[in-house]
Amino acid sequence: GESVGLHLPTLSVQEGDNSIINCAYSNSASDYFIWYKQESGKGPQFIIDIRSNMDKRQGQRVTVLLNKTVKHLSLQIAATQPGDSAVYFCAESGPPPTGGGNKLTFGTGTQLKVEL
Amino acid sequence: NAGVTQTPKFQVLKTGQSMTLQCAQDMNHNSMYWYRQDPGMGLRLIYYSASEGTTDKGEVPNGYNVSRLNKREFSLRLESAAPSQTSVYFCASSATYNEQFFGPGTRLTVL
């Protein structure tokens, strides 16, 4: 799976199936996690985020799971559609800095291809 | 609301030339960021501004300077462009410790 490090370059799924994109992180102090979708030629688009005090968070057709014990994050997309084809990035940041802001560290991305 | 806007969309420079990338946001966010994205890689933070009047280095600041002109605008300057700075540059903004919203990017080629 993807990490803030290694990644699975391409994931191919059939339209209508569920997709699972994985991400491993190494910083035990990571406090905030986020998934972005990036279509070709565009900027990253926010999908869903989760803080370290939660294990699971759901959005519209997407679920993020956080396992702090093994430092693993996953993004599940239900009933994958052709419009879901894109590169997906996970990112993480440490506790809120005193000066403000949110310094994200990004993984290298996973290409999701939806086959008709 | 336009969100985060960036100019220019494309730029070609010769080695040694200088240029400034412009970024503006209309979401009243305190924090703004500049990233670069190289082929097959994630985004790497160049500089950020946690709040108006402050700027800090990110992971790859060498060869760049920034200016937080006001709360809305955050510019990135390349004083003497090098081929290694060929990349896609993204600006982002956030309401302090929350999700970042990205602009459409500037595709820069340095010959």
Side-chain angles (χ1 to χ4, degrees):
Chain A
E2 178 183 355
S3 87
V4 188
L6 300 173
H7 73 283
L8 180 66
T10 302
L11 174 65
S12 294
V13 299
Q14 294 290 323
E15 182 181 6
D17 287 350
N18 296 335
S19 302
I20 300 176
I21 301 171
N22 297 304
C23 178
Y25 64 96
S26 59
N27 184 359
S28 58
S30 295
D31 186 58
Y32 175 79
F33 304 86
I34 189 168
W35 283 98
Y36 283 95
K37 173 187 180 183
Q38 187 176 27
E39 296 174 295
S40 181
K42 297 185 178 180
Q45 177 185 2
F46 168 76
I47 302 173
I48 192 167
D49 59 0
I50 188 169
R51 299 196 188 275
S52 61
N53 61 351
M54 301 174 68
D55 297 325
K56 178 180 180 179
R57 194 170 185 211
Q58 289 183 290
Q60 188 175 12
R61 280 201 309 118
V62 295
T63 300
V64 56
L65 298 176
L66 176 62
N67 185 328
K68 294 179 287 293
T69 302
V70 295
K71 298 188 185 67
H72 185 267
L73 185 73
S74 67
L75 176 70
Q76 300 179 1
I77 304 173
T80 311
Q81 302 169 0
D84 294 327
S85 293
V87 176
Y88 290 80
F89 292 97
C90 67
E92 58 84 19
S93 62
T98 54
N102 189 6
K103 291 178 63 176
L104 292 173
T105 299
F106 280 80
T108 49
T110 296
Q111 174 80 53
L112 176 65
K113 293 186 176 180
V114 181
E115 299 172 348
L116 304 179
Chain B
N1 288 348
V4 178
T5 57
Q6 294 183 235
T7 56
K9 286 185 168 44
F10 301 92
Q11 184 71 49
V12 178
L13 293 177
K14 294 180 179 178
T15 297
Q17 289 185 316
S18 61
M19 78 162 295
T20 300
L21 282 66
Q22 306 286 354
C23 174
Q25 53 93 7
D26 61 2
M27 295 174 281
N28 200 35
H29 286 164
N30 287 324
S31 305
M32 298 185 73
Y33 313 81
W34 276 105
Y35 293 88
R36 62 177 287 172
Q37 184 175 33
D38 299 302
M41 298 182 68
L43 286 81
R44 292 184 291 169
L45 183 64
I46 304 171
Y47 270 94
Y48 70 102
S49 171
S51 60
E52 187 178 356
T54 69
T55 60
D56 285 289
K57 295 178 181 179
E59 180 184 354
V60 289
N62 292 344
Y64 306 95
N65 285 301
V66 291
S67 295
R68 183 74 182 267
L69 305 170
N70 48 56
K71 190 171 186 179
R72 289 188 63 249
E73 298 173 289
F74 188 38
S75 63
L76 178 72
R77 183 161 179 83
L78 287 69
E79 290 291 351
S80 179
S84 61
Q85 294 179 304
T86 293
S87 190
V88 181
Y89 291 85
F90 289 101
C91 177
S93 69
S94 72
T96 316
Y97 194 64
N98 286 296
E99 70 269 24
Q100 295 179 17
F101 295 87
F102 284 81
T106 294
R107 284 144 187 83
L108 175 67
T109 301
V110 183
L111 303 175

